[in-house]
């Protein structure tokens, strides 16, 4: 758990306690707190900076489950309706859904008269904790998880989308006095790590976006209070005064949290492992099956497995890969996730377990080695995050292997295949 290191200032209406070490930061935070108070923000949570040097919030008094933590008036939200008024967002060929909000941020933060100026001044500029900025050596710590490939793909994509936007819109029409790749990436990271999706629309919510994530905490929503709209986060448990309070970024795995926000949870109830497979057309049966599977599930190559759950998508893939020609008449059943025969099921289980074992071998260290590494006090925060993440992924894969073994044992004991399909 993160530890609060210091508290520096408080304001009246918002009771926004803030810690900082730099004079400019303190000044900006004071201005932000006054802006929140002036514009009707209500809060039972005080801001603080914790020992990982990220902002969070703590209870200003005892809070009961169901009480609100923060209420932000709807007029403070930066919504698609707000940004659509700016000329820079009227481009008709954006390549990323983030880009309208990104460009608005870059344009509006240079507006000395901007209503949101106090908010812009407290937005982070350092994202070195995020995997996008890790060194190759740091990223290599997560080999075997799929994260390096995802980050490399993003690193290749953003320069391309930046150039298209710069050449065809921003610089071509002189819409910003400065538009560099670093500024583009900063705006991308702000939207990636702070924006809510409200009714499917990207929205920034000042103050509320400074709370840290807890899997079982409350998710922010727009509600009406006394005839006025507020973005509200409610407590889902009791908090004592001074305890850190949380919101939820959704039911996200550690892979999602690390890729999107740059952190992982030690004990994440929504954790899963993302595996990547391809049904190669190495024989006639697979050549017939693969197009049918892709039509039924265009993303079949990405398989998500969860601890203590039957890996249905994984089993479907290997049932198809192990089909005999004489079993093609049952291919629709397999596409629907149903087992078809003891013979096919045995081969599917064996292949799945074999492949999962290969996944474990692809990692650079064992779970036991990771456990020893995590005992060290000499790890950097990035190293600790990477090792915690990869250990969790391996534990899930190990668990799925055990689940498959137990499922096969049940087949032999009960005399029927999963979903009640009789052995034939």
């Amino acid at each position: 758990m993160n530890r609060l290191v210091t508290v520096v200032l408080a304001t009246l209406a918002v009771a926004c306690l803030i810690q900082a070490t730099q004079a400019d930061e303190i000044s900006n935070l004071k201005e932000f707190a006054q802006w929140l108070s002036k514009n009707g923000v209500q809060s039972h949570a005080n801001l603080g900076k914790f020992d990982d040097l990220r902002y969070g919030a703590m209870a200003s008094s005892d809070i009961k489950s169901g009480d609100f933590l923060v209420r932000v008036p709807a007029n403070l939200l930066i919504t698609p309706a707000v940004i659509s008024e700016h000329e820079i967002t009227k481009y008709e060929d954006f390549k990323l859904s983030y880009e309208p909000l990104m460009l608005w941020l870059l344009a509006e933060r240079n507006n000395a008269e901007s209503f949101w100026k106090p908010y812009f001044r407290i937005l982070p500029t350092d994202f070195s904790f995020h995997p996008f900025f890790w060194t190759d050596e740091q990223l290599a710590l997560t080999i075997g998880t799929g994260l390096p490939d995802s980050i490399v793909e993003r690193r290749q994509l953003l320069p391309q989308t930046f150039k298209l936007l710069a050449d065809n819109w921003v610089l071509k029409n002189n819409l910003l006095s400065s538009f560099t790749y670093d500024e583009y990436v900063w705006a991308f990271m702000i939207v990636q790590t702070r924006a809510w999706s409200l009714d499917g629309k990207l929205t920034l919510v000042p103050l509320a976006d400074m709370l840290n994530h807890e899997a079982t905490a409350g998710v922010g929503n727009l509600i009406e209070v006394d005839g006025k709209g507020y973005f509200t986060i409610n407590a889902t448990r009791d908090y004592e005064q001074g305890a850190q309070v949380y919101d939820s970024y959704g039911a996200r795995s550690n892979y999602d949290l690390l890729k999107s926000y740059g952190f992982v949870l030690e004990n994440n109830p929504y954790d899963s492992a993302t595996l990547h497979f391809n049904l190669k057309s190495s024989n006639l049966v697979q050549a017939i099956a693969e197009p049918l599977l892709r039509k039924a599930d265009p993303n079949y190559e990405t398989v998500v497995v969860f601890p203590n759950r039957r890996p249905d998508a994984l089993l479907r893939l290997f049932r198809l890969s192990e089909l005999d020609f004489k079993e093609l008449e049952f291919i629709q059943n397999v596409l629907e996730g149903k087992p078809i025969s003891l013979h096919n099921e045995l081969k599917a289980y064996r292949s799945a377990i074999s492949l999962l074992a290969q996944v474990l071998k692809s990692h650079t260290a064992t779970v036991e080695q990771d456990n020893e590494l995590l005992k060290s006090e000499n790890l950097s925060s990035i190293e600790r995050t990477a090792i915690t993440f990869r250990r969790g992924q391996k534990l899930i894969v190990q668990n799925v292997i055990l689940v498959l073994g137990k499922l096969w044992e049940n087949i032999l004991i009960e005399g029927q295949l999963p979903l009640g399909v009789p052995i034939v």
Side-chain angles (χ1 to χ4, degrees):
M1 180 178 292
N2 293 334
R3 177 175 56 87
L4 182 72
V5 278
T6 55
V7 172
V8 176
L9 83 98
T11 62
L12 294 177
V14 184
C16 199
L17 301 183
I18 304 166
Q19 57 174 18
T21 56
Q22 300 294 326
D24 287 346
E25 185 179 11
I26 294 174
S27 176
N28 289 340
L29 289 168
K30 283 182 177 179
E31 182 184 8
F32 178 58
Q34 292 165 356
W35 179 77
L36 294 172
S37 176
K38 178 182 178 181
N39 287 285
V41 173
Q42 302 171 31
S43 176
H44 290 146
N46 302 327
L47 291 182
K49 185 174 284 186
F50 294 81
D51 57 2
D52 59 3
L53 300 182
R54 298 188 205 180
Y55 287 112
M58 58 185 178
S60 57
S61 60
D62 290 348
I63 298 173
K64 296 295 183 182
S65 178
D67 291 347
F68 73 84
L69 298 176
V70 295
R71 284 179 179 166
V72 181
N75 67 299
L76 265 65
L77 275 58
I78 300 172
T79 65
V82 169
I83 71 171
S84 66
E85 299 175 3
H86 200 292
E87 179 188 6
I88 203 166
T89 67
K90 299 186 185 302
Y91 188 46
E92 296 182 352
D93 195 22
F94 287 115
K95 301 303 181 184
L96 303 178
S97 61
Y98 290 3
E99 285 181 330
L101 183 51
M102 288 165 56
L103 287 186
W104 182 89
L105 277 170
L106 292 172
E108 192 67 12
R109 73 170 180 168
N110 292 328
N111 176 8
E113 304 302 320
S114 174
F115 171 71
W116 285 275
K117 185 177 180 180
Y119 172 60
F120 298 147
R121 285 180 170 171
I122 58 88
L123 290 175
T125 56
D126 180 10
F127 290 97
S128 57
F129 61 87
H130 196 284
F132 186 85
F133 298 98
W134 289 4
T135 65
D136 291 343
E137 291 77 14
Q138 290 168 335
L139 200 56
L141 292 172
T142 64
I143 286 175
T145 66
L147 181 69
D149 291 341
S150 177
I151 296 301
V152 169
E153 181 181 347
R154 181 174 290 173
R155 287 174 177 174
Q156 294 171 344
L157 173 66
L158 292 191
Q160 298 173 24
T161 54
F162 164 73
K163 188 175 188 308
L164 288 171
L165 198 58
D167 293 348
N168 298 324
W169 180 240
V170 179
L171 298 183
K172 178 181 179 180
N173 295 285
N174 197 28
L175 296 172
L176 289 173
S177 58
S178 173
F179 186 54
T180 66
Y181 178 65
D182 286 345
E183 290 169 328
Y184 179 85
V185 171
W186 172 83
F188 178 91
M189 297 305 299
I190 291 295
V191 177
Q192 172 81 35
T193 61
R194 305 180 82 83
W196 264 268
S197 178
L198 299 180
D199 296 326
K201 300 175 182 178
L202 288 170
T203 302
L204 290 172
V205 187
L207 180 63
D209 61 6
M210 300 177 82
L211 273 66
N212 290 316
H213 169 75
E214 186 176 70
T216 57
V219 178
N221 286 296
L222 282 170
I223 65 170
E224 191 170 288
V225 179
D226 298 328
K228 296 181 180 179
Y230 290 89
F231 182 88
T232 301
I233 300 173
N234 290 328
T236 55
R237 61 182 172 90
D238 294 348
Y239 292 100
E240 293 184 355
Q241 182 179 6
Q244 184 170 187
V245 300
Y246 300 89
D247 73 342
S248 171
Y249 302 170
R252 293 178 177 267
S253 68
N254 276 346
Y255 178 89
D256 292 334
L257 291 174
L258 188 53
K259 179 182 175 182
S260 297
Y261 302 100
F263 68 89
V264 297
L265 298 180
E266 184 76 28
N267 297 298
N268 185 351
Y270 300 111
D271 207 5
S272 62
T274 301
L275 310 173
H276 301 278
F277 305 116
N278 184 26
L279 185 58
K280 296 180 180 179
S281 301
S282 57
N283 58 48
L284 178 59
V285 175
Q286 291 179 0
I288 294 172
E290 199 279 339
L292 295 174
L293 177 57
R294 186 172 297 280
K295 182 178 180 181
D297 181 3
N299 299 312
Y300 82 85
E301 294 162 313
T302 299
V303 177
V304 179
V305 294
F306 299 86
N308 303 315
R309 285 166 57 176
R310 185 177 62 212
D312 288 328
L314 184 68
L315 287 172
R316 178 184 65 173
L317 182 63
F318 283 99
R319 286 171 185 145
L320 281 169
S321 71
E322 297 297 340
L323 271 180
D324 292 336
F325 191 81
K326 63 183 179 180
E327 295 172 321
L328 275 176
E329 62 180 298
F330 304 110
I331 194 169
Q332 186 59 40
N333 289 346
V334 180
L335 291 171
E336 293 173 0
K338 299 175 183 178
I340 58 170
S341 70
L342 184 63
H343 173 70
N344 177 263
E345 201 74 351
L346 174 60
K347 292 196 296 180
Y349 274 61
R350 281 179 173 173
S351 295
I353 290 173
S354 175
L355 191 140
L356 291 172
Q358 292 177 34
V359 170
L360 290 176
K361 289 180 181 179
S362 71
H363 286 267
T364 57
T366 65
V367 169
E368 292 72 24
Q369 289 170 328
D370 284 347
N371 288 337
E372 289 301 313
L373 287 170
L374 290 171
K375 293 177 182 178
S376 172
E377 296 181 357
N378 297 322
L379 292 176
S380 69
S381 61
I382 288 176
E383 290 170 333
R384 188 168 298 279
T385 294
I387 295 170
T388 299
F389 168 61
R390 77 183 188 193
R391 180 188 63 172
Q393 296 290 283
K394 284 177 283 192
L395 286 170
I396 292 171
V397 172
Q398 287 179 345
N399 176 271
V400 174
I401 291 175
L402 293 175
V403 167
L404 287 169
K406 185 63 178 177
L407 287 170
W408 184 253
E409 179 183 325
N410 290 342
I411 289 172
L412 299 179
I413 292 173
E414 297 173 3
Q416 65 179 11
L417 302 177
L419 305 178
V421 176
I423 292 177
V424 293

